[in-house]
Amino acid sequence: GIKGNVFTYNARIQVALASSTTEAYDSVQGHLSKAEKEAIKLIDELISDPTLQPDRYTINLALIPFLHAQRRDEIWHLLEKFYHSNMSSNNVKIITSGFEAFLNTLVKHGEVDFAREIFESFLLPEPMRKIRVIESKPKQRMQLSNEVKVMKLEATSYSTKDQQQQPPYGALKRPSPSTRHFNILLGGYSKSYQSALLRSKNAIFQDVNGTSNKNTLNF
């Protein structure tokens, strides 16, 4: 048969993930959906072919299936290879647009903490990476509120002067995070905070309602 290229594989992976199926990813048991299994099979084929190179579209399609399959280390490997190969070619725009897509995909699927890890690892200059004050742990309401404040502070403090002073990558300047990168993360944490707040309100309502019903029965 005719050998496919990276564009062919990307199209097939996208079709596989978009295929209609009643089976979805089981977040409790960790069972992959049929669509994710098929997509991972195609991604593995592409990666194992020495004549093909996964591009930013491949990586973006692989993010969620690989996370669900507990293959986080392989995601890091793909991201590092993508970053370094484009840095050596001085394709800064491809890097920034690629990571914008990656962050957006992760946040869309509720993987906000992992999105921030990636953001800090590849887009923040070294001095700012050392100001991490909140670790990637399950967030309570106050923690999430603080996280949004910290992200806003970082976005504000990252001025043009900071960007000019960052150390170069070899002879090349390290890609700078854009406002869009910060806004994606801010939106993700804000959404998570609102969801946590709603869950807390529902839990309080159920507790109050349950206590009220119990008192009525006892009466």
Side-chain angles (χ1 to χ4, degrees), residues 167-185:
Y169 178 86
L172 302 172
K173 185 178 179 181
R174 185 183 184 87
S176 302
S178 67
T179 304
R180 176 66 179 156
H181 293 126
F182 280 105
N183 285 342
I184 291 171
L185 290 175

Side-chain angles (χ1 to χ4, degrees), residues 86-87 89-97 173-176:
N86 281 288
M87 276 301 295
S89 304
N90 201 22
N91 293 324
V92 175
K93 286 185 178 180
I94 290 179
I95 294 174
T96 53
S97 64
K173 185 178 179 181
R174 185 183 184 87
S176 302

Side-chain angles (χ1 to χ4, degrees), residues 41-73:
K41 179 183 175 184
L42 291 168
I43 295 166
D44 285 340
E45 281 182 19
L46 193 164
I47 293 173
S48 63
D49 191 326
T51 65
L52 297 177
Q53 179 71 33
D55 60 14
R56 53 182 162 164
Y57 302 105
T58 315
I59 297 171
N60 198 41
L61 291 167
L63 286 173
I64 303 305
F66 271 26
L67 270 177
H68 289 170
Q70 306 299 315
R71 294 172 64 171
R72 188 173 293 218
D73 287 346

Side-chain angles (χ1 to χ4, degrees), residues 9 33 38 43 57 114 131 158 165 176 199:
Y9 269 104
S33 67
E38 180 60 27
I43 295 166
Y57 302 105
F114 188 44
I131 358 180
Y158 191 73
Q165 290 178 346
S176 302
R199 285 195 301 271

Side-chain angles (χ1 to χ4, degrees), residues 34 64 91 140 145 148 195:
K34 184 178 179 181
I64 303 305
N91 293 324
Q140 301 299 323
S145 178
V148 172
S195 297

Side-chain angles (χ1 to χ4, degrees), residues 120-147:
E120 291 178 337
S121 297
F122 293 100
L123 296 173
L124 284 189
E126 194 65 34
M128 288 195 72
R129 285 192 236 170
K130 293 178 180 177
I131 358 180
R132 295 180 65 179
V133 295
I134 298 177
E135 298 179 357
S136 299
K137 294 179 180 179
K139 302 292 190 297
Q140 301 299 323
R141 283 187 296 166
M142 185 60 72
Q143 289 175 309
L144 278 167
S145 178
N146 288 338
E147 187 76 6

